[in-house]
Amino acid sequence: MSDTPFGFGLPPEEPEDGDEGKKKDQQSGGGQGPANPFGFGGLPGAGGLGGPGADNPLAAMFGSLNPTDLGAAFQQLGQMLSYEGGPVNWEMAKQIARQTVAQGTPDGTKDASVGASERKAVEEAVRLADLWLDDATSLPSGSASAVAWSRAEWVEATLPAWQELVDPVAERVGAAMGDVLPEEMQAMAGPLIGMMRSMGGAMFGTQIGQAVGVLAGEVVGSTDIGLPLGPAGRAALLPANVEAFGKDLGVPQEEVRLYLALREAAHQRLFAHVPWLRSHLFGAVDGYARGIKVDTAKLEDVVGQFDPQNPEQLQDALQQGMFQPEDTPEQKAALARLETALALVEGWVDAVVHAAAKPRLSSADALRETLRRRRATGGPAEQTFATLIGLELRPRRLRDASRLWASLTDARGVDGRDGLWAHPDMLPTATDLDDPDGFVHREQLDFSELDKMLGEAAGGSAEKPNLKKDDDTE
């Protein structure tokens, strides 16, 4: 299969008839961005998204492609319709993400392979960051290696984590597609339902691929959204995006890179030495997703009007969003747990990085505030995920959590603060973020003996994070 997922999207990089071909290509709408992932507007005779043939893009192809191209197009369309995998066509998602990355960011910067000097700069920044963090946290280094990724490499490395996040919600959509028809009609409409599920997997793959591709142009590392998206123990920075991030800040590029390396290395320490944390966060996402319901009224409209010759209908429905959180106490509690967990992770990283950077970097305060605002506002790709899966992965109470962790450091020291990661039940709750002083001075339970007894009863020692003992929590 070619890099263009349906075989009739983007034009070749250099038209065969030179400059004249380029002019024709521009007039026909070729080279469109992610807003038109199928590339229908670029077909001769299609006239762009709003031109002749746009309402029926497949019909527009019949008189405009030679037999060889037409056969290839329908062969790949057939592969899309025959997809029988999970709720998301992840192979298509990867192709669309890489295609989006190849098109470059809105400011005109293109992806490029990372050079030896950039790799060395990232490795040195992460190495120095780890040295500074040794004074700010009792958690040892979690970075077995430091890597410099291109945007395409970030896509490849993080797709497995996106699959874990998105599949639960996409599965609900796939089931809902069969449920919207009356039961007596479902047997008769079996082939249609199967085709719609295949199309749904393709459309979800397209949209997720676009969002991941756009996000690849924004992120600076592997932990920007507070979740461990990359391989364990691998601290990663994207040199092109690091440079773009610091471009207009008036801060030396070396300081920007080092500050971002501090954040990446701090995340790696936390996820490496708190073994239950990753499953806790992904479980919170899954728990919230289980309470999301599909807007069946909107889906019924799509099913009732579905035209196999106009597959963009499903894409449009996904872009508009079909997900609504259940207005129940359980769903509200699930959302509170998720937001609190994200805030605690990001707040801890914020507090630890500030403690490490403040005495050493003159720009520490400015960079800290820039990163806080960036996380609070998000970007277009984050909004796409919010539309697709009904969830914003944003630490709404980051500042509250950061203040709480800083207060814990003052009251209990670094060891006492980090000792709270020994067990999920020891962490602050959303209520504690409202009353940080009450939590800081409250006597904490020590679960170490209980874990030891449970481990011995199971015939082995319980796995615990590599933490120093907190005398204040006994």
Side-chain angles (χ1 to χ4, degrees):
M1 180 177 285
S2 66
D3 291 337
T4 305
F6 301 104
F8 39 78
L10 297 173
E13 293 184 2
E14 188 68 29
E16 294 180 356
D17 48 352
D19 292 338
E20 192 64 26
K22 292 180 182 179
K23 293 177 182 179
K24 292 179 181 178
D25 175 65
Q26 293 168 356
Q27 292 170 358
S28 63
Q32 64 274 14
N36 183 16
F38 299 101
F40 290 131
L43 292 170
L49 285 175
D55 293 335
N56 191 354
L58 296 182
M61 291 193 299
F62 285 105
S64 58
L65 294 179
N66 63 50
T68 302
D69 292 338
L70 185 62
F74 276 102
Q75 181 182 7
Q76 295 194 22
L77 182 59
Q79 291 174 353
M80 179 185 71
L81 293 174
S82 62
Y83 171 72
E84 296 180 351
V88 178
N89 189 330
W90 285 103
E91 182 61 31
M92 183 172 294
K94 181 169 71 172
Q95 292 176 4
I96 293 291
R98 295 201 58 143
Q99 175 183 321
T100 304
V101 165
Q103 291 171 349
T105 54
D107 63 3
T109 61
K110 298 286 187 178
D111 193 26
S113 299
V114 178
S117 61
E118 293 173 316
R119 295 187 187 280
K120 183 178 179 181
V122 168
E123 291 171 358
E124 291 178 350
V126 172
R127 188 181 303 114
L128 182 57
D130 260 333
L131 288 175
W132 290 5
L133 288 171
D134 284 340
D135 296 332
T137 174
S138 61
L139 297 176
S141 174
S143 305
S145 63
V147 294
W149 282 339
S150 66
R151 293 164 183 167
E153 289 173 324
W154 182 90
V155 168
E156 295 280 353
T158 62
L159 269 180
W162 291 119
Q163 183 172 355
E164 192 172 346
L165 287 169
V166 173
D167 269 352
V169 179
E171 185 69 50
R172 296 179 63 83
V173 178
M177 283 184 170
D179 294 340
V180 295
L181 291 176
E183 187 172 341
E184 61 274 12
M185 292 182 59
Q186 290 188 19
M188 298 173 57
L192 175 61
I193 294 174
M195 182 175 67
M196 288 191 61
R197 285 178 175 169
S198 296
M199 293 293 291
M203 299 308 175
F204 242 118
T206 299
Q207 294 297 304
I208 292 296
Q210 288 173 11
V212 170
V214 173
L215 198 58
E218 301 173 357
V219 296
V220 294
S222 70
T223 54
D224 284 41
I225 66 168
L227 297 174
L229 297 179
R234 190 174 299 175
L237 291 179
L238 283 71
N241 293 358
V242 170
E243 182 179 357
F245 172 80
K247 185 177 181 181
D248 299 320
L249 297 181
V251 177
Q253 189 68 23
E254 294 76 12
E255 289 195 20
V256 173
R257 184 190 304 113
L258 184 51
Y259 193 88
L260 297 177
L262 281 166
R263 289 183 54 83
E264 179 74 8
H267 276 104
Q268 294 295 335
R269 288 183 180 226
L270 193 59
F271 289 115
H273 299 290
V274 184
W276 53 263
L277 182 56
R278 186 185 190 280
S279 60
H280 179 76
L281 285 169
F282 278 73
V285 173
D286 183 63
Y288 179 79
R290 291 179 187 276
I292 292 176
K293 63 181 180 180
V294 178
D295 187 345
T296 54
K298 182 179 292 186
L299 189 56
E300 285 175 359
D301 290 341
V302 174
V303 173
Q305 301 174 17
F306 179 67
D307 179 2
Q309 291 186 339
N310 189 6
E312 288 183 315
Q313 284 180 335
L314 283 178
Q315 178 191 344
D316 293 340
L318 288 175
Q319 286 178 326
Q320 295 169 11
M322 291 190 294
F323 313 109
Q324 300 172 345
E326 293 276 12
D327 188 19
T328 63
E330 292 78 13
Q331 180 68 350
K332 291 177 180 177
L335 179 59
R337 285 194 299 271
L338 176 58
E339 290 183 343
T340 300
L342 287 172
L344 289 175
V345 169
E346 291 293 275
W348 183 88
V349 168
D350 181 78
V352 167
V353 168
H354 185 69
K358 178 69 173 175
R360 300 176 174 96
L361 294 179
S362 59
S363 58
D365 288 335
L367 289 170
R368 183 191 202 187
E369 186 60 27
T370 299
L371 265 298
R372 281 180 165 186
R373 292 180 179 178
R374 188 175 190 256
R375 276 300 273 130
T377 57
E382 286 190 29
Q383 183 56 47
T384 299
F385 282 112
T387 302
L388 285 173
I389 65 175
L391 176 63
E392 291 181 349
L393 296 172
R394 212 172 284 171
R396 299 182 184 279
R397 306 197 64 181
L398 185 155
R399 294 177 188 270
D400 294 337
S402 183
R403 281 193 292 268
L404 188 147
W405 288 119
S407 297
L408 281 167
T409 308
D410 294 338
R412 304 185 186 183
V414 169
D415 292 352
R417 177 201 67 201
D418 293 346
L420 295 178
W421 291 106
H423 196 284
D425 290 344
M426 297 175 68
L427 289 178
T429 64
T431 303
D432 295 324
L433 294 180
D434 295 329
D435 181 22
D437 290 336
F439 179 84
V440 168
H441 299 292
R442 186 187 313 153
E443 184 175 353
Q444 300 292 315
L445 298 175
D446 185 355
F447 286 83
S448 58
E449 289 301 319
L450 176 59
D451 285 345
K452 183 178 179 181
M453 289 188 293
L454 290 175
E456 291 173 349
S461 59
E463 184 181 15
K464 299 187 291 294
N466 188 356
L467 300 171
K468 298 179 181 179
K469 189 175 180 180
D470 174 19
D471 295 332
D472 293 333
T473 61
E474 293 182 346

